[in-house]
Amino acid sequence: MESSSAASGGSTRREATRQKLYEAAVTLIAEQGFSATTVDEIAERAGVAKGTVYYNFASKSVLFEELLRHGVGLLTASLREAAEQTARDGGSRVDALDAMIRAGLVFIDRYPSFTQLYVAELWRTNRAWQSTLMVVRQQAVAVVEGVLREGVEHGEFSAEIDVPLTAAALVGMVLVAALDWKSFQPERSLDDVHAALSRLLQGRVSGRG
């Protein structure tokens, strides 16, 4: 039986390997599409043997499905932490939403290829991982829904707000605006883009000028 330190070391190495495979896969698939990307190419880009890919993932489709889980999980965690930090600092729910917008932009700035893939896959209906994608998407949107519901309960937001649709709209706004920024307005800073979306949030959600 492995010692706890040995087991921990093995787990750390495996996570590092999986991270390299995620990065290789997302870059290649963003460049040439899922169907055109081979396991051999993923292994070569990651700097590992082909067998290492299959040791960690049963197939290319499983790798991509886990990539979606991993990436959206990171986004969800960053949104949740932004909301929780705002609450610890005594901020309002509008402040929390604003912090989540910035967290989303920071994530997309760091992982533009993943974000491009994620948005593209949302519009596909014939993929084996469609149900997984819907689950992880809802996990991210649910964080925003939670803040909106708290805002309605505490009188910060109108009770007429359609919480699920508004949450989805806010997440979609960040995704689309950020992709437009990275693709067509790369000269703009993250602070500049955040300020523009923050003004939209303040005017359309909270009603403040």
Side-chain angles (χ1 to χ4, degrees), residues 124-142:
R124 300 182 190 276
T125 58
N126 60 341
R127 299 297 205 188
W129 50 77
Q130 190 66 28
S131 60
T132 295
L133 185 61
M134 293 300 99
V135 169
V136 295
R137 170 205 168 273
Q138 184 52 39
Q139 289 171 350
V141 173

Side-chain angles (χ1 to χ4, degrees), residues 93 100 141-153 163 167:
R93 275 78 185 183
M100 293 164 84
V141 173
V143 180
V144 184
E145 287 184 7
V147 173
L148 287 170
R149 287 197 176 92
E150 289 177 0
V152 171
E153 291 170 5
V163 170

Side-chain angles (χ1 to χ4, degrees), residues 182-196:
K182 301 302 290 184
S183 299
F184 305 113
Q185 305 179 64
E187 72 283 357
R188 299 184 69 167
S189 69
L190 190 150
D191 288 340
D192 186 30
V193 176
H194 174 224

